[in-house]
Amino acid sequence: VLDPAAPAQDKVVTGGPKLVRVDLATNRVTRTILFPEDVAPQGSYLNDVRFSPDGRHAYITDSGARGAIVVLD
């Protein structure tokens, strides 16, 4: 689950942007990766995530004011 932490695409909630892994068999959160302000600054909107075939990298689009691609390993 990708949480941009920008309600109504407005201001980013400090400490809020994150990627969350949920175990669907147990409905439990198994990992949370928080994105600091230098990755998801004010004006950003993290809105889509894709994973590499080997699962080692996540590619996240930021369609906010500056636009960016975030790569997570």
Side-chain angles (χ1 to χ4, degrees):
V1 177
L2 181 61
D3 179 4
Q9 296 182 353
D10 196 19
K11 294 182 175 146
V12 176
V13 175
T14 302
K18 61 190 157 291
L19 184 62
V20 179
R21 180 171 58 194
V22 178
D23 181 333
L24 297 179
T26 64
N27 280 336
R28 294 187 187 272
V29 172
T30 58
R31 186 170 183 191
T32 301
I33 299 169
L34 299 174
F35 296 108
E37 194 169 334
D38 63 332
V39 175
Q42 284 301 327
S44 71
Y45 192 77
L46 304 177
N47 73 337
D48 196 16
V49 62
R50 296 289 186 262
F51 297 93
S52 62
D54 63 7
R56 296 182 63 189
H57 297 90
Y59 303 93
I60 301 167
T61 56
D62 180 348
S63 62
R66 295 186 335 183
I69 301 264
V70 176
V71 179
L72 176 68
D73 61 353

